Amino acid sequence: MGKADLHTHTNASDGDLSPEALLKKAQSKKLKTLAITDHDTIKGYLKAKEMAPDYGIELISGVEITALWNSKEVHLLAYNFDDKHQSFRNLLIKQKSARKLRMQAIVEVLNAQGLDIEYDEILAEANMGNVGRPHAASILIKRGYVSGVAEAFIRYLSSEKLQGVKTNYAPIEEVIRTTKDAAGVVSLAHPGRLYTDGEVRALIDEGLDGLECIHPSHNFSTQRKFTALAKSGNLLITGGSDYHGTGKSEYDPYFGIVTLGDQYIEAIKRTSENRKRIVNVYN
Ligand code: AMP
Ligand code: FE
Ligand code: FE
Ligand code: ZN
């Protein structure tokens, strides 16, 4: 049985490694299948796509999309979509500007607290990639306001601290519909981290195809609970390490360790292939 990791980030969003460096690392960890799931962008995936065969890696299309659900931000993982699908690409373009606007609003909140930090330097930290709170955290560390990423989130960047910040991320219905139109499948990222069981069930009812049962934030009992829920609801089981780079997040040591058996990849592909056929019939 081969090992897969369906949740990784590159420097196209808030990861440290270039797409090629990530492929290299995946090869060294003997992964068979990889999905690059940057936040709201497929640029890293597209760069890696050509190179993956050279590293003996099967790369499947992926992205982690932030969607709005009852004014909450939820992370959805989309896989095996047609990466040329126009409305799917347009969705990601809108998400990129939503990220920028949100970061401008975050900077205003930080400035109002007396922190001397500028939007442009955060954007520069993202280095053309999709901007996110970890880039703001890096600047807060550079300025000496906090000693590390964890402290930056606790004191300034958690969703509780940023409750007043309005965002125009796409609503969950739009994200699910557009991904399915592109023949992709949608899984709920790290369900154990942020939601109550009732919320997970309500999210499933929005039309999700799968649950990310395997994630470093899940202990064995959480993993078992979501796996049972996915099986009982005929949902796909997805999983990965949520790797962001060395030492960047508490999950980083799990790259190559928290993995998904590749028998689950077949089910993801099958669902997506069926969808492709249906999409072709109706278009
Ligand atoms: P954003 O994309 O702006 O919503 O930022 C979300 C990202 O911030 C996540 O994908 C993680 O990479 C990171 N993150 C979220 N919470 C924390 C935390 N408590 N400590 C460190 N990193 C975090
Ligand atoms: Fe992230
Ligand atoms: Fe996430
Ligand atoms: Zn992630």
Side-chain angles (χ1 to χ4, degrees), residues 151-217:
E151 189 188 346
F153 270 86
I154 291 166
R155 287 181 62 184
Y156 301 112
L157 299 171
S158 67
S159 38
E160 290 74 34
K161 296 278 175 187
L162 297 173
Q163 248 162 19
V165 172
K166 232 178 64 54
T167 67
N168 44 9
Y169 283 129
I172 191 165
E173 301 81 8
E174 182 183 345
V175 174
I176 294 178
R177 185 176 16 91
T178 311
T179 306
K180 289 182 177 178
D181 281 349
V185 304
V186 195
S187 179
L188 179 63
H190 38 68
R193 220 177 72 147
L194 303 161
Y195 320 109
T196 64
D197 289 355
E199 285 176 318
V200 172
R201 278 192 293 272
L203 280 159
I204 292 170
D205 289 342
E206 296 284 345
L208 293 174
D209 297 301
L211 285 182
E212 188 178 47
C213 300
I214 296 164
H215 185 271
S217 67

Side-chain angles (χ1 to χ4, degrees), residues 2 34 43 53 77 105 125 139 169 178 190-191 211-212 230 233 253 255:
L34 181 76
K43 290 204 173 118
L77 293 158
E125 183 70 21
I139 302 296
Y169 283 129
T178 311
H190 38 68
L211 285 182
E212 188 178 47
F255 186 67

Side-chain angles (χ1 to χ4, degrees), residues 7 9 14 39-40 64 66 73 75 99 102-103 106 131-134 149-151 153-154 157-158 169 190 193 242 244 248-251:
H7 194 156
H9 297 267
D14 57 0
H39 296 283
D40 298 296
E64 182 171 14
T66 306
E73 291 178 14
H75 287 184
R99 284 189 162 271
R102 172 167 162 277
M103 190 50 74
I106 290 174
V131 73
R133 285 175 285 168
V149 181
E151 189 188 346
F153 270 86
I154 291 166
L157 299 171
S158 67
Y169 283 129
H190 38 68
R193 220 177 72 147
D242 211 348
H244 280 77
K248 188 143 187 177
S249 102
E250 56 185 317
Y251 307 141

Side-chain angles (χ1 to χ4, degrees), residues 62-81:
V63 61
E64 182 171 14
I65 303 177
T66 306
L68 286 181
W69 177 68
N70 296 339
S71 4
K72 246 176 114 157
E73 291 178 14
V74 302
H75 287 184
L76 303 179
L77 293 158
Y79 295 115
N80 223 53
F81 44 80

